[in-house]
Amino acid sequence: MSSFAFKKFTVLHDKCAMKVGTDGIILGAWANGGKNILDIGTGSGLIALFMAQRFENAKVTAIDIDHESVLQAQENFRNSIFSERISIFEISLQNFRIGKYDAIVCNPPFYNCSLNNPDNRKAIARHTETLTYHDLFKGVSALLTDDGEFSAIIPAMSRTEFDKEAISAGLFPARVCAIKTVEYKPVGRYLLSYKKYPVKQLKERIECLHNKDMTRTEWFDELTRDFYL
């Protein structure tokens, strides 16, 4: 499938290394926003479009280092009703120095100690060689406003390292949502958010995406009902 249609926009993703997937959808529907939002590693522009729809007065900036993905995201932004509020730059986070953001989102590369994908563009999108967790949090800390929030989705196995790099960069966990595909399976993903100050009480919740019959759970349905057709 070369495109994925949502209620208010369509995402073309045939030229992108990473296609539209559940991780990006639930992050885009879960992350807190603000007036100035940054999407790091935007790919097809999926999460940026989610944030633009949810936060009607926000200006959204997207960045990516993959040329073909940038061209595709530009097309997706241009074809959307949010085109005047979204801009994109072909640049790495390490070299990006434009503005301050009260909301930053990222579905980051997550493979650290594993063999690279033979497809070089997929390897860049999936592996941390081009954006380590250390560099991610260093960049986020520099670009985040004092009261801003950074949100990400990562594999469960990466959480300890992710939290460690966050603390090293002066960021503290603010929200935690563990994700299971179905109730009887272990936690596979974490939705995480961070701020520049510790919260009084960090609450962790566990949610499931699907019921036993593989229909969407009430939580997943409510989270995405403004997007799925």
Side-chain angles (χ1 to χ4, degrees):
M1 182 172 18
S2 62
S3 65
F4 200 107
F6 295 94
K7 285 183 177 179
K8 294 188 178 181
F9 56 85
T10 296
V11 178
L12 301 172
H13 58 182
D14 56 299
K15 298 176 183 177
C16 297
M18 299 302 293
K19 309 305 181 186
V20 170
T22 303
D23 283 5
I25 289 170
I26 59 177
L27 175 60
W30 179 84
N32 285 330
K35 293 182 179 179
N36 291 290
I37 300 171
L38 175 66
D39 178 19
I40 299 169
T42 194
S44 64
L46 170 72
I47 297 173
L49 287 163
F50 266 61
M51 300 300 282
Q53 177 177 323
R54 291 177 58 216
F55 303 98
E56 297 179 353
N57 297 317
K59 291 184 178 180
V60 182
T61 301
I63 63 173
D64 206 296
I65 61 173
D66 182 70
H67 181 66
E68 292 299 318
S69 294
V70 169
L71 292 178
Q72 187 131 74
Q74 283 179 328
E75 183 178 7
N76 288 328
F77 297 159
R78 185 169 58 249
N79 292 337
S80 76
I81 59 175
F82 319 115
S83 58
E84 295 184 357
R85 296 193 288 114
I86 309 181
S87 58
I88 187 168
F89 297 88
E90 186 176 336
I91 191 172
S92 68
L93 174 62
Q94 294 91 329
N95 293 319
F96 186 70
R97 299 290 185 273
I98 301 174
K100 287 279 189 176
Y101 302 88
D102 49 3
I104 300 178
V105 291
C106 182
N107 181 5
F110 49 80
Y111 288 129
N112 192 9
C113 300
S114 56
L115 295 174
N116 278 344
N117 191 298
D119 183 329
N120 186 56
R121 292 177 65 217
K122 284 188 178 180
I124 289 173
R126 291 177 174 175
H127 294 259
T128 60
E129 279 83 352
T130 55
L131 183 61
T132 65
Y133 289 164
H134 175 80
D135 286 346
L136 173 61
F137 278 104
K138 181 180 179 181
V140 166
S141 182
L143 294 166
L144 195 66
T145 60
D146 289 343
D147 60 348
E149 184 169 332
F150 167 55
S151 301
I153 184 167
I154 61 168
M157 64 182 180
S158 300
R159 185 184 172 187
T160 298
E161 182 184 359
F162 211 68
D163 280 345
K164 179 181 177 181
E165 292 295 348
I167 294 297
S168 296
L171 296 173
F172 302 89
R175 294 194 298 153
V176 177
C177 184
I179 303 294
K180 296 180 176 183
T181 53
V182 289
E183 180 60 39
Y184 60 85
K185 289 192 175 182
V187 171
R189 291 285 188 271
Y190 278 100
L191 287 163
L192 303 170
S193 77
Y194 300 86
K195 290 178 174 289
K196 289 190 172 182
Y197 53 86
V199 297
K200 292 182 178 179
Q201 185 176 6
L202 179 65
K203 294 184 178 180
E204 299 195 22
R205 56 190 298 176
I206 300 176
E207 300 291 353
C208 294
L209 299 180
H210 299 107
N211 299 304
K212 289 182 179 179
D213 61 359
M214 296 311 293
T215 58
R216 294 174 197 148
T217 60
E218 183 178 353
W219 176 82
F220 189 23
D221 184 62
E222 182 176 352
L223 186 72
T224 56
R225 67 179 48 173
D226 290 337
F227 300 95
Y228 280 135
L229 293 171

